[in-house]
Amino acid sequence: MPRVLLFALAFPVIACADPEPPPDPPPSVRAFSGDYVPVDDGAEVPGWTAFRDSLRATLVREDTLGLLTAIAPDARLSYDTEAVGPDGFRAMWFSGDPPQGRSPWATLAGVLDGGSLDEDGAVIAPFVQALWPDDHDPLSSVAIVETDVEARAAPSAEAEVVATLSTLIVPALAPPDSGWRQIQLPDGQAAFVVAGQALSPLSYRATFWPDPDGTWRLRSFLAGD
């Protein structure tokens, strides 16, 4: 059989072959935002911003010695125990089980990233306790005061990101557990965020003020009412 005829017979088979289906598009990540914007009055207090930046760097490095050095000898750390100062912090956060399974690095970083209030030269962070809106239950809600906070399908840094959250208050579905907090998205779906990024007016807050020589220190780090 001539080659031309063979090619003609084969061509329709090739032309009719089904093309490969296109890959599925990646799932879209929803974005939710609100108007609960942080107040940062402490930025006007001399020396506070530089100290906060330095302490943030200490937390990123997970520098235990640097963090303990920033804690005042008489810093109050609990309503229920007599834990005070660097030794008390070490016992609470670096020995055994830390409170509610939280990471001290993430918890304190969330506090520092949550705005601040100035009270006669002392700085309180975050701002949420003093400026919590009356139309949200402080026992069952948390505030996301940063921008583009990732909400995940499971309590793991490897889990799928299902949404991003910015400056809004959402229902809390469970207490913090192993560094994560389950919350409810505005569309009703449950998701998880890093516990330190979900701020409650009853959660951890810190008070700072400088020594007479100008050295800033943490003076209290407490949770509860």
Side-chain angles (χ1 to χ4, degrees), residues 93 98-107 150 152 154-157 175-182 192-198:
W93 290 93
Q100 299 176 327
R102 289 174 176 262
S103 158
W105 314 111
T107 303
E150 294 178 334
R152 297 182 180 272
S156 167
D177 184 20
S178 300
W180 294 89
R181 185 141 199 184
Q182 188 179 34
F192 294 84
V193 296
V194 173
Q197 295 177 308

Side-chain angles (χ1 to χ4, degrees), residues 40 42-53 112 116 123 125 208 216:
D40 195 18
E44 304 300 320
V45 178
W48 162 249
T49 299
F51 169 75
R52 179 171 58 185
D53 290 346
L112 294 179
S116 63
V123 175
F208 306 84
W216 280 82

Side-chain angles (χ1 to χ4, degrees), residues 5 33 42 50 61 67 69 95 101 111 122 132-133 144 150 162 165 174-175 201 210 215:
L5 181 57
S33 61
R61 295 193 307 270
L67 174 56
T69 300
S95 301
V111 165
W132 188 259
I144 307 295
E150 294 178 334
V162 296
L165 308 175
T215 301

